[in-house]
Amino acid sequence: MGEVIVVTSGKGGVGKTTTTANIGTGLAALGKKVVLVDTDIGLRNLDVVLGLENRIVYDIVDVTEGNCRLKQALIKDKRFDDRLFLLPAAQTKDKTAISEQQMKDLCATLKQDFDFVIIDCPAGIEQGFKNAIAGAEKSLVVTTPEVAAVRDADRIIGLLEAAELPEPQLIINRIRPAMVKQGDMMDIDDMIDILAVNLLGVVPEDEKIVVSTNKGEPAVLDQESRAGEAYRNISRRLTGEEVPLMNLEVNENLVSRLKKLFGFGK
Amino acid sequence: MSPQTVQQLVNIKGTPNGLLIYCNGQADPKALEIDLQTKLEAGKGFFKGAKYSIYGKPPLDPSTLDKLHTICTEHGLTPAEAEITPPQQAVKPRPKVKTSKTTGRRQHSENEQTHLLQRSLRSGTKETYEGNVVILGDVNPGAEIRATGDILVMGALRGVAHAGCNGNINAVIVAYKLHPSQLRIANKIARSPEGLAERPYPELAYATEEDGIIIEKYNPNKRR
């Protein structure tokens, strides 16, 4: 029996889809069996980010309407033999094409066969959001260090709590340590202070994400990428491993580098 | 109501200046002595070292007064140099209430309820209460709390709070961290000034017809 995790944020453009793709890929790379479910019906993106766009035959609506079997709609990512699958959203329908009950049933079926069922939630708090959380057991809230994104995350956390999804976990995306240091960007503590939830990970801003998203190769597979490293850490944390937050300081001075080398200092 | 009743022979009142011992002058002096004796003994040294005055109504005769003084000093009380608050004043309506009434002291109606909310209000929630409300948590940006009475936030108030929302201008808003996006009291509206640093102390907001909403450092000793 796997667990069903929804990735949500409220605000659009903060990196839900990127996070879903990277965590999913990261978990698959750790040897877990993962299925990613895109519930952003009408505005599907997850297939593009994973580079599986041209392989879609059936989608989630075909499954719920009974036009195909679930297995037929699951797209296998060839980079991981039989460990990473995508259930794509429909592009021609809208969010009302599936119901909350259908999502619950779908999640219940998927978690029989997979270690992780990760649901990419659409932006907003309407039907699409309700569908996405319907079958979930855990939730990850993605936010960026912006007042608007934090406000929406706060709203979403309230709704998740109302839906009795216990303890949402926070992923802070696109943080720029240099700007935080100068006081030009909200820092992590400010955000935790307002949102009052557990922090699962912090992902630094990384230009490589743009490249990897366009190429359809999740950054988590790029050993050079800082964001990829953060996503690898988050994936490990999801498997229950204790991983310290990565050091976001880019320009370390010699002393702290030496300290780190000798095993003390953080 | 007079503090002296027929049933009670001796009545000990605490005042800011010391103890005030009321004695029923009509009663039998011996009974007064016994009553004072038992009352002071019941205190088990609690009264020790306190300053006191004896007040008889009608006035006691000097010999009785002397005996009562002896009992008091035996129990470690010391006579006050100056007469402690005469009973006439103590029975009058307390001046504090009177003076603050003229400055618009708020009158809590007897049946005004106070609600206790043991959670934070997150963005998008709007709660309205009849009476006062105490929040054991934060009010986040994008959330709104309304009450017909006072609002107390035992955390950070970052959203919108509206106290006295049915027109009670004497309502107040108190928060451990008062950093609201907007404050409303009755029909007065205020917003936080731009770029004001967070204050590390609790603050209180009240309103007057003339000046609108005023925020000051919360002072528990100041009655409002």
Side-chain angles (χ1 to χ4, degrees):
Chain A
M1 270 309 229
E3 53 185 335
V4 186
I5 304 174
V6 61
V7 179
T8 180
S9 72
K11 190 178 177 298
V14 298
K16 284 179 296 299
T17 303
T18 311
T19 299
T20 308
N22 279 288
I23 292 179
T25 310
L27 286 167
L30 291 170
K32 302 288 175 187
K33 210 174 169 206
V34 185
V35 59
L36 307 179
V37 183
D38 190 353
T39 59
D40 203 349
I41 300 168
L43 294 164
R44 73 173 175 216
N45 294 133
L46 186 55
D47 51 325
V48 181
V49 176
L50 286 164
L52 301 172
E53 188 186 4
N54 52 13
R55 299 184 34 210
I56 298 174
V57 180
Y58 297 110
D59 56 48
I60 190 169
V61 178
D62 290 320
V63 174
T64 54
E65 285 181 351
N67 298 336
C68 69
R69 283 175 290 112
L70 179 56
K71 285 252 161 65
Q72 288 176 292
L74 293 178
I75 301 168
K76 183 161 76 177
D77 190 324
K78 284 187 177 144
R79 284 166 289 203
F80 304 93
D81 40 46
D82 276 341
R83 289 208 307 279
L84 183 61
F85 290 82
L86 168 70
L87 179 58
Q91 183 68 341
T92 51
K93 312 269 181 9
D94 64 32
K95 311 288 191 266
T96 55
I98 54 174
S99 70
E100 290 166 53
Q101 189 55 49
Q102 285 171 327
M103 269 309 287
K104 274 186 200 167
D105 297 342
L106 184 64
C107 293
T109 315
L110 284 171
K111 74 178 203 181
Q112 309 279 346
D113 296 329
F114 292 91
D115 299 323
F116 288 94
V117 180
I118 302 179
I119 300 168
D120 184 21
C121 176
I125 56 171
E126 295 81 15
Q127 191 60 43
F129 169 75
K130 289 178 189 160
N131 284 342
I133 67 166
E137 298 155 341
K138 275 172 89 173
S139 55
L140 307 183
V141 176
V142 184
T143 188
T144 55
E146 293 163 74
V147 174
V150 172
R151 168 117 20 133
D152 290 359
D154 189 43
R155 174 90 168 108
I156 285 294
I157 293 166
L159 292 171
L160 290 170
E161 284 170 353
E164 290 175 356
L165 270 171
E167 295 179 19
Q169 290 182 290
L170 187 69
I171 295 176
I172 298 173
N173 197 11
R174 307 190 66 173
I175 200 156
R176 296 177 183 213
M179 283 185 75
V180 174
K181 211 170 178 182
Q182 283 173 13
D184 293 333
M185 188 176 254
M186 291 179 90
D187 74 13
I188 298 169
D189 291 339
D190 289 347
M191 283 181 273
I192 303 281
D193 196 28
I194 291 180
L195 297 176
V197 289
N198 290 331
L199 183 66
L200 183 68
V202 181
V203 183
E205 175 84 69
D206 186 353
E207 288 181 359
K208 290 205 171 87
I209 287 284
V210 181
V211 182
S212 78
T213 305
N214 290 341
K215 278 207 282 190
E217 287 168 8
V220 75
L221 299 174
D222 179 355
Q223 298 296 326
E224 301 285 295
S225 165
R226 299 276 292 155
E229 185 187 343
Y231 281 124
R232 280 194 295 280
N233 289 345
I234 291 171
S235 306
R236 284 164 63 195
R237 287 183 199 117
L238 282 175
T239 64
E241 199 178 326
E242 298 261 343
V243 186
L245 282 178
M246 64 189 247
N247 185 10
L248 293 170
E249 293 285 329
V250 187
N251 303 314
E252 290 177 74
N253 60 30
L254 186 66
V255 178
S256 68
R257 264 213 303 262
L258 281 173
K259 270 187 181 171
K260 208 158 95 180
L261 195 66
F262 292 113
F264 43 89
K266 37 177 192 164
Chain B
M1 193 194 83
S2 162
Q4 236 178 333
T5 53
V6 189
Q7 292 86 347
Q8 279 192 300
L9 302 169
V10 173
N11 200 348
I12 304 175
K13 289 268 170 188
T15 77
N17 304 318
L19 295 173
L20 196 51
I21 301 171
Y22 292 98
C23 297
N24 187 344
Q26 287 167 329
D28 173 37
K30 194 74 198 161
L32 282 179
E33 285 167 34
I34 294 165
D35 197 32
L36 180 63
Q37 186 91 31
T38 42
K39 287 218 161 104
L40 290 178
E41 267 161 22
K44 288 184 178 152
F46 176 74
F47 299 115
K48 207 168 179 178
K51 290 186 174 163
Y52 76 98
S53 284
I54 294 178
Y55 180 82
K57 191 181 178 185
L60 305 166
D61 61 75
S63 63
T64 318
L65 201 56
D66 269 354
K67 278 175 186 159
L68 293 179
H69 274 300
T70 320
I71 294 168
C72 286
T73 39
E74 275 169 6
H75 283 85
L77 279 71
T78 50
E81 301 88 28
E83 186 90 354
I84 291 169
T85 329
Q88 285 87 344
Q89 264 188 25
V91 203
K92 271 199 289 182
R94 286 152 73 190
K96 237 182 194 172
V97 177
K98 202 180 163 192
T99 49
S100 42
K101 226 177 203 170
T102 55
T103 60
R105 183 181 145 68
R106 312 152 341 89
Q107 298 290 300
H108 277 290
S109 70
E110 289 284 311
N111 51 6
E112 197 166 73
Q113 285 188 45
T114 297
H115 302 266
L116 185 65
L117 200 59
Q118 300 197 56
R119 60 185 167 89
S120 292
L121 293 188
R122 291 190 181 275
S123 176
T125 40
K126 181 174 175 176
E127 307 256 352
T128 305
Y129 290 92
E130 197 73 38
N132 310 310
V133 59
V134 179
I135 298 163
L136 299 181
D138 300 339
V139 177
N140 280 356
E144 186 175 342
I145 177 80
R146 289 158 53 90
T148 58
D150 299 344
I151 297 173
L152 267 78
V153 183
M154 303 302 287
L157 170 53
R158 301 188 183 95
V160 176
H162 190 175
C165 62
N166 58 358
N168 177 12
I169 196 153
N170 295 319
V172 298
I173 299 170
V174 183
Y176 198 74
K177 286 183 180 172
L178 189 69
H179 311 128
S181 30
Q182 204 181 80
L183 284 183
R184 301 183 198 146
I185 296 175
N187 58 352
K188 307 290 176 198
I189 300 184
R191 60 175 176 76
S192 289
E194 304 279 326
L196 191 67
E198 296 202 347
R199 279 84 56 210
Y201 45 81
E203 289 177 298
L204 175 142
Y206 64 97
T208 63
E209 279 299 343
E210 309 77 47
D211 303 319
I213 294 179
I214 298 158
I215 293 173
E216 57 186 38
K217 188 171 177 176
Y218 173 65
N219 180 356
N221 299 322
K222 187 169 167 187
R223 288 192 67 171
R224 176 151 283 294

